[in-house]
Amino acid sequence: MNNNKEVSFLFILKITVMERAYNYIYLFFISILLVVVWGFWKTYIVFFPSFQGFGYTHHMHGLLMMMWILMLIVQPLLIRAGKLSLHRAVGKASYVVVPLLLLSIFMVGKISYNKMIPASPQQAIASTAQIIPALFAFAVLYGLAIWKKKKSRIHMRYMLGTSLLMIGPALGRVQIIYFNVPFLEAVDYANYLIMAIAFLLLVSDIFQKKPVAPYLITLLVMVVGHLAWQFRDGFLWQAVGENFAAIFY
């Protein structure tokens, strides 16, 4: 009997420790912010204040991306401080920030596509294999987070999923600029990392008997995005990308 009580106590203690770890999730978001700054330092930030060669679309995208990461950092801190009304206000602000962020991702992709199309239509269409999955993944994870906003543990997990999407573009640039990794390999390595993080989070929740849907869906949308990238030159994606570009670009 005592052994059963001891096992139950240790199990509950382990669960409590894991959940309390999420109180410090802002540190994870700060680390993502640092990676983003590192990745975009030489390709964008260093050009401050003139930003010669960049248009308003790039500025809007950079600003909105930074706003989203800062919102992710602030939200758990507001909860810890007991500022729930302010937490909800910031959450409602995301109803404006996220659609604009998605629009900026779309516009940046459109600019890149139109630059590439004269030289290589196939490669231009292949480039949509980064934009379309990113739009889909972010919209799905954010939408599910808002849908489950009254279930804080599930809500928080979907929000963490959106943060993983910020790692890829920044980490890809870090590899290319500072470690001379070829572009294609850099994209692959960044994808492998964020999929590995999502997988480990999923395994942790399975082990702790937590709801598996948030990190399972996060992992699945990332796998779909990676597969789209791997088969970007294939007939299927070329057809998808060409039709997407014909309609929207």
Side-chain angles (χ1 to χ4, degrees):
M1 187 70 175
N2 289 335
N3 287 338
N4 290 336
K5 287 184 177 180
E6 183 177 351
V7 171
S8 298
F9 171 76
L10 290 174
F11 180 76
I12 293 171
L13 178 62
K14 183 182 290 186
I15 296 294
T16 303
V17 169
M18 288 297 295
E19 287 303 312
R20 286 183 176 177
Y22 281 105
N23 290 334
Y24 300 95
I25 197 172
Y26 68 92
L27 296 175
F28 177 72
F29 295 145
I30 289 175
S31 69
I32 292 178
L33 174 62
L34 294 176
V35 172
V36 169
V37 171
W38 188 18
F40 285 89
W41 183 263
K42 287 190 175 182
T43 60
Y44 181 73
I45 300 174
V46 74
F47 295 98
F48 177 86
S50 64
F51 289 110
Q52 186 175 356
F54 296 94
Y56 290 112
T57 300
H58 295 97
H59 300 325
M60 182 179 76
H61 177 62
L63 176 63
L64 290 166
M65 183 172 65
M66 198 63 65
M67 285 178 63
W68 180 246
I69 298 175
L70 292 175
M71 289 171 74
L72 290 175
I73 294 171
V74 166
Q75 287 294 66
L77 292 174
L78 292 175
I79 293 175
R80 289 187 65 183
K83 306 291 186 180
L84 298 183
S85 59
L86 187 54
H87 172 82
R88 286 190 289 268
V90 173
K92 290 178 180 178
S94 73
Y95 299 164
V96 176
V97 172
V98 169
L100 290 175
L101 177 57
L102 292 173
L103 177 61
S104 75
I105 294 172
F106 168 80
M107 293 302 296
V108 168
K110 182 177 180 179
I111 291 171
S112 177
Y113 174 88
N114 287 329
K115 283 183 177 180
M116 295 174 67
I117 198 72
S120 175
Q122 181 180 354
Q123 290 304 308
I125 294 171
S127 71
T128 64
Q130 287 185 297
I131 299 301
I132 298 175
L135 290 171
F136 171 76
F138 200 102
V140 167
L141 296 178
Y142 174 77
L144 289 170
I146 296 304
W147 183 38
K148 297 293 184 179
K149 63 182 179 181
K150 293 184 179 180
K151 297 182 178 181
S152 59
R153 292 179 180 180
I154 297 176
H155 169 79
M156 173 273 302
R157 283 166 166 79
Y158 282 123
M159 285 299 188
L160 190 150
T162 68
S163 75
L164 297 181
L165 301 174
M166 301 291 181
I167 297 176
L171 187 59
R173 284 169 172 79
V174 168
Q175 295 176 81
I176 294 167
I177 296 170
Y178 298 98
F179 301 101
N180 297 315
V181 177
F183 171 75
L184 299 181
E185 285 84 348
V187 174
D188 284 341
Y189 296 154
N191 286 345
Y192 294 148
L193 176 63
I194 62 175
M195 286 189 293
I197 294 173
F199 177 75
L200 291 174
L201 290 169
L202 173 60
V203 170
S204 175
D205 272 2
I206 292 173
F207 179 74
Q208 298 297 329
K209 301 186 185 302
K210 299 297 181 183
V212 300
Y215 291 139
L216 177 60
I217 293 174
T218 298
L219 178 59
L220 287 176
V221 297
M222 290 176 177
V223 169
V224 168
H226 183 63
L227 289 175
W229 172 251
Q230 291 299 310
F231 295 100
R232 63 193 177 277
D233 292 320
F235 170 78
L236 180 59
W237 187 264
Q238 285 289 309
V240 171
E242 185 175 8
N243 283 298
F244 179 87
I247 296 170
F248 298 107
Y249 288 171

